[in-house]
Amino acid sequence: MLRAPRAVPAWLAHPFRWQRLPVPWAAVARGALCAGPLLGAGIATGHPAPGVLAGLGSMLAGVNDRPGTRRTGIVHIGLPALASALGMLIGASLQTADAGWWLLPALFAVGFVSGAGSVAGPVRSNAGMQMLATTILGAGMPLPGAPWAKALYVLAGCLWLLLLRLVLRPPRPAGGALSGERAAVATVFDALADALSAVGGPDAEPARRRLTAALDRADEAVRLRLLTSRLLRRSARTEELLLTERFAAATALCEASVALLWEARPLPSRVAESPRRFADALRTGRSPGRLSAPETSTAARGAFDQALLDAAVAFARREPAEPPRSEQAPSGHPAWAARPVAVVRGALGAVGGRTRRGRGLFGPAGRDYGLRVAVCIAASVAVALLLRADHWYWLPATVTFLVKPDLGPLFSRTVNRFAGTVAGVLVFAGAGLLLTGTWWPALVAGAGGALLPFATRHFALQTVAITLMVLSFVYVSGDPQAAAERIVDTSIACGIVLVVGHLPRLADPRRRVGHRVTSALRSTEQFLRHVLEAEPGADPTRRLALRRAAYRALGEARAAAETAAAELLAARDRNPDWLTVVTAAERIVDAATACAVRLDHGAHRPSRAEAEGLCQALAAMADALEDPRRHPEPGPSAPDLPPVPDCATLTDVAVELERIRGYAGTG
């Protein structure tokens, strides 16, 4: 009798996952011009310490050099750069004061703040991680100079890469200015076309998630552009307002496309071709040309074709549909086109409200995240100080890049860190045998910097690049025999992280994932309530903002759930099936979007009792997940809605509510 093959456990398969991403050639060029040349300049001038510190700063900035617009680059690189300089100032001050064992409580405190920042979003999380790393390096690396000077050198290295980011960029497209923002909005139309091509197939939900991610990136780019205009105290330019209107058109098209995804009826290829024409028009500045013919076979298809027509009108204009300070809708244009800035502001406000409610740095989740990082850092510092007086900083510095709870499963990162370190040490040792003179560490650091942007697709490869640069810095600073000790310290750090990081309270997925899932359910409930309670013909601006906030929260919850599912000790017998809960919530948002489209086209509106029952049931499940000791009251429950056409969307909502109730253990 043949046995069915057993699936490889997620914690064992995760270390071998490889992200397929395009090669960021511009970032590769910037990386080659950062750490290596800065280190070489220090060697050439006879001042290696400033070269090492500036190279260290550029290396940390290179980790944050991700695709995006120039303005997003300023935020993603600039905020961690300031945090890195602050960390170096703190660490160098501890070294100057000869802190000794006082390093233990000091680094525990910095580690707690760094870990708590993990709940505040990826940019602030990276800033916290790099502040902790530079604090440790500043307290341990034996480099001459005043603390303030060391901090300035690190900041200068970060700003050097940021300057290259602003200068070295692809040529502007034929469409004119706003190259980065224009490309981000064009990517939304491309992702929309992919999602429409997947309607009715098994790839529909992943395509919708990719569309949501593209919307998030474009939303950030457009918001930063408008924020820049506001900070400069100038009115938005014509091209900025036109791009914002076209992004609003993309948002409306995406809402209608979600309704088509919910209907799950395969679409003709010409329907998916229309958004691609908009993407090409944004990139080239030409007209989108002929679009697919309208059809009103279903409410979702009718809404999509209406949104397509409105988008064509937005692309045909060469002047904004409104005066810059007016919020009145011109005659003949839809409300969302007349108020594109309001759409963006509304999305920001909805996200900000959710952040203030559930993701404070020192809320329950922030405290748990901070405690995990602080305990692991303190344990590694204690072991390092007991084992050796010099190079003690390598051990906690390694732990810093392993233990952050939002960066990936602990076991996977530990395995890849060890493998990448060994590979990096071997490559560095081989380079030392083949190359001679005093310049070769700068060449190796330059090669590591060029590899770093490409290496984001796998943590082991990223570790190889970082190891090459770090060993180059250490070699130039006066310790040519550090490579072997690097492997030993990495082994010890990996052992500490695996033991301390998996302590029961520190490794409980309910504490680390539950707050994100709860936040996502609350955002879902707000969107569902607005859809069911909004007056007929109401301005859809608020609805679009709430839908964007719900999808954003669900994306964060999915990422956290996938990380928890790949942990070595997932404790699935004591925790909800997070991925199933998130998937069900995503389908509720999809169904609510389809319901909104149908209601806009005259479908039967549910009674207040039905609407309130659904919303209260979802809110009660969020309450139960937020506090496991509290279960939903018997009253609010998902009502049994008949599967009639006008209520089919709400029937799906009820089905997914029952699914959440079962897999979350809240019933």
Side-chain angles (χ1 to χ4, degrees):
M1 180 179 176
L2 295 177
R3 294 183 178 180
R6 300 182 65 179
V8 178
W11 62 268
L12 191 58
H14 193 278
F16 301 98
R17 292 182 182 175
W18 180 280
Q19 292 185 355
R20 296 181 179 180
L21 301 170
V23 179
W25 293 112
V28 169
R30 291 192 293 268
L33 295 174
C34 277
L38 292 174
L39 186 59
I43 296 172
T45 58
H47 297 85
V52 168
L53 291 168
L56 174 65
S58 69
M59 180 192 76
L60 295 174
V63 174
N64 302 314
D65 189 10
R66 302 297 175 87
T69 67
R70 286 182 296 164
R71 286 170 178 78
T72 58
I74 291 173
V75 174
H76 294 171
I77 297 174
L79 181 61
L82 295 174
S84 298
L86 175 61
M88 180 58 66
L89 180 63
I90 296 171
S93 299
L94 291 172
Q95 185 186 69
T96 302
D98 194 17
W101 281 93
W102 285 106
L103 288 167
L104 200 62
L107 293 179
F108 180 92
V110 177
F112 183 87
V113 174
S114 172
S118 301
V119 304
V123 176
R124 279 172 283 186
S125 176
N126 288 335
M129 179 181 68
Q130 294 188 0
M131 181 183 71
L132 176 59
T134 52
T135 301
I136 294 169
L137 294 175
M141 290 184 73
L143 294 173
W148 63 266
K150 293 181 180 181
L152 286 180
Y153 287 134
V154 169
L155 183 61
C158 296
L159 295 180
W160 170 246
L161 185 136
L162 184 57
L163 178 63
L164 292 177
R165 171 77 181 246
L166 298 177
V167 173
L168 297 181
R169 61 182 189 272
R172 292 185 185 275
L178 301 168
S179 57
E181 293 83 355
R182 194 182 297 277
V185 178
T187 303
V188 173
F189 284 106
D190 283 332
L192 174 58
D194 294 338
L196 293 173
S197 299
V199 169
D203 296 331
E205 285 193 13
R208 200 269 302 143
R209 295 186 194 113
R210 290 192 294 271
L211 174 60
T212 299
L215 275 168
D216 287 342
R217 291 189 293 269
D219 179 54
E220 181 184 31
V222 173
R223 282 194 289 110
L224 284 175
R225 184 77 192 202
L226 295 174
L227 179 61
T228 301
S229 298
R230 198 177 309 152
L231 292 176
L232 295 176
R233 297 182 179 277
R234 65 169 174 82
S235 300
R237 296 192 179 103
T238 297
E239 61 268 19
E240 292 173 343
L241 290 173
L242 285 175
L243 183 66
T244 309
E245 289 182 3
R246 290 165 186 178
F247 175 62
T251 303
L253 268 172
C254 290
E255 181 179 61
S257 71
V258 170
L260 290 172
L261 288 169
W262 176 84
E263 287 186 346
R265 299 178 182 178
L267 299 170
S269 58
R270 65 180 183 276
V271 176
E273 183 65 23
S274 296
R276 293 199 195 279
R277 291 180 179 273
F278 288 132
D280 292 340
L282 277 170
R283 295 188 176 103
T284 63
R286 295 194 296 265
S287 169
R290 297 184 61 182
L291 304 175
S292 60
E295 179 186 325
T296 57
S297 56
T298 66
R301 182 61 194 276
F304 178 82
D305 287 328
Q306 181 60 50
L308 197 67
L309 177 61
D310 294 337
V313 172
F315 272 78
R317 284 195 294 268
R318 292 296 176 262
E319 293 293 332
E322 59 171 350
R325 297 184 179 276
S326 172
E327 298 220 340
Q328 293 298 320
S331 176
H333 296 297
W336 59 263
R339 302 207 299 170
V341 177
V343 173
V344 178
R345 287 176 181 167
L348 177 60
V351 175
R354 176 172 51 84
T355 301
R356 288 189 295 272
R357 283 190 304 273
R359 294 171 55 191
L361 290 180
F362 300 105
R367 290 196 300 269
D368 287 345
Y369 275 48
L371 187 63
R372 185 187 193 190
V373 175
V375 171
C376 287
I377 290 295
S380 64
V381 171
V383 172
L385 291 176
L386 287 172
L387 289 178
R388 61 174 67 93
D390 56 341
H391 302 161
W392 63 267
Y393 57 92
W394 283 351
L395 225 163
T398 300
V399 170
T400 298
F401 292 98
L402 289 178
V403 75
K404 288 281 285 185
D406 58 319
L407 297 182
L410 197 58
F411 177 79
S412 174
R413 291 179 65 81
T414 302
V415 170
N416 286 322
R417 183 76 183 187
F418 180 79
T421 299
V422 172
V425 168
L426 293 177
V427 172
F428 185 83
L433 294 175
L434 295 175
L435 303 174
T436 58
T438 58
W439 291 89
W440 70 269
L443 296 177
V444 174
L451 176 64
L452 191 57
F454 174 82
T456 55
R457 58 195 66 210
H458 197 275
F459 186 56
L461 189 59
Q462 187 181 56
T463 301
V464 172
I466 291 176
T467 300
L468 291 175
M469 287 187 278
V470 169
L471 289 177
S472 300
F473 301 150
V474 174
Y475 187 97
V476 172
S477 63
D479 190 4
Q481 306 299 325
E485 292 182 5
R486 184 69 177 161
I487 294 180
V488 174
D489 284 344
T490 299
S491 304
I492 297 173
C494 290
I496 291 173
V497 167
L498 286 176
V499 173
V500 179
H502 283 108
L503 292 176
R505 178 183 173 90
L506 303 182
D508 185 2
R510 181 182 285 275
R511 305 182 70 89
R512 294 191 292 110
V513 184
H515 80 284
R516 293 192 184 276
V517 177
T518 299
S519 177
L521 290 181
R522 295 201 186 283
S523 295
T524 301
E525 186 263 336
Q526 289 179 12
F527 174 61
L528 178 64
R529 183 178 296 277
H530 180 83
V531 167
L532 298 181
E533 295 181 355
E535 295 296 329
D539 184 357
T541 299
R542 175 68 175 165
R543 186 178 77 203
L544 294 174
L546 289 173
R547 184 174 64 83
R548 294 288 305 114
Y551 276 137
R552 188 188 296 270
L554 286 166
E556 295 173 354
R558 173 169 288 278
E562 289 174 345
T563 297
E567 291 284 9
L568 178 60
L569 302 177
R572 294 177 180 82
D573 56 328
R574 296 184 293 105
N575 287 280
D577 186 342
W578 301 111
L579 281 174
T580 300
V581 172
V582 172
T583 300
E586 288 174 340
R587 290 173 178 167
I588 288 176
V589 177
D590 290 349
T593 302
C595 180
V597 170
R598 288 176 166 233
L599 292 176
D600 286 346
H601 286 71
H604 170 72
R605 183 169 292 275
S607 67
R608 284 202 170 272
E610 291 172 333
E612 189 62 26
L614 289 171
C615 295
Q616 286 187 9
L618 190 52
M621 292 172 197
D623 291 339
L625 283 176
E626 187 173 43
D627 185 356
R629 296 167 299 180
R630 179 176 59 190
H631 295 283
E633 298 296 332
S637 60
D640 296 326
L641 297 178
V644 298
D646 283 343
C647 292
T649 51
L650 297 186
T651 301
D652 275 7
V653 171
V655 169
E656 299 304 333
L657 280 171
E658 291 298 337
R659 193 188 306 274
I660 293 176
R661 185 185 298 277
Y663 282 92
T666 59

